[in-house]
Amino acid sequence: MPSDSDSFNWLPPDSLAATQRLLGCELERELGGQVLRVRIVETEAYDQSDPASHSFRGHTPRTSVMFGPAGHLYVYFTYGMHYCCNIVVGPAGHGAAVLLRAAEPLEGELTMAGLRPGARGVNLTNGPAKLCQALAITRELNGQDLAVPPLRLIQRPALEPAAITQTTRIGIKHATDRPWRLYITDNPYISRR
């Protein structure tokens, strides 16, 4: 199927602006004939000028997706046990992405629970690794064009700024003072208040 990445012209090229715009949008995962759908409720911005970003040291084989066109998925393995996923933003050649920290299940919750044995309710998708497990996102989806199956990003109306909390990022060692983490204020699925 041909790429339709031009359909992501609604996504701001600045990673911080994109963190806000992605809140409320949806991911739709096709898996084994089933559809799993979640609403993005927590995001973090990363940019090549940011020492906490994988793209800070420049273009490498590992980070090449981050320097590609907007609307693709950048997947990485962390702590030797978990996958995390980011949506690439910005123009091709500029290493910027938005980490998906948490999401709210909308469809296929039982299948997600099967992918995360023992997890129920908010614990199903309230963290970046949990979200990847619940949607079966692994390195095989690194570079996925989010305009086409099996994993698509679905645009939803932008949220009002009053519905969003902006704070510092968590789980990193560098540039911890930057307020580049955003979440839907009253959503119970966020990873940490």
Side-chain angles (χ1 to χ4, degrees), residues 87-102:
I87 295 175
V88 176
V89 298
H94 184 88
V98 173
L99 173 66
L100 302 183
R101 284 205 54 86

Side-chain angles (χ1 to χ4, degrees), residues 23-66:
L23 291 173
C25 293
E26 298 172 9
L27 283 178
E28 184 178 271
R29 172 78 156 110
E30 294 179 9
L31 186 67
Q34 292 189 299
V35 172
L36 312 179
R37 198 163 44 91
V38 297
R39 179 181 189 217
I40 299 168
V41 300
E42 184 181 354
T43 55
E44 280 183 352
Y46 290 90
D47 182 86
Q48 68 184 30
S49 65
D50 167 21
S53 177
H54 292 175
S55 60
F56 182 67
R57 298 195 191 284
H59 189 280
T60 68
R62 177 188 186 200
T63 63
S64 63
V65 173
M66 283 186 79

Side-chain angles (χ1 to χ4, degrees), residues 109-161:
E109 192 168 345
L110 287 177
T111 300
M112 292 181 215
L115 292 165
R116 287 196 27 76
R120 297 288 183 270
V122 295
N123 289 320
L124 195 57
T125 53
N126 69 338
K130 295 175 183 180
L131 172 60
C132 283
Q133 289 171 350
L135 296 180
I137 293 174
T138 65
R139 195 170 281 131
E140 291 177 1
L141 289 174
N142 189 41
Q144 167 72 28
D145 181 345
L146 294 171
V148 297
L151 183 66
R152 295 187 315 121
L153 174 63
I154 301 168
Q155 180 184 5
R156 293 293 183 236
L159 298 179
E160 293 294 326

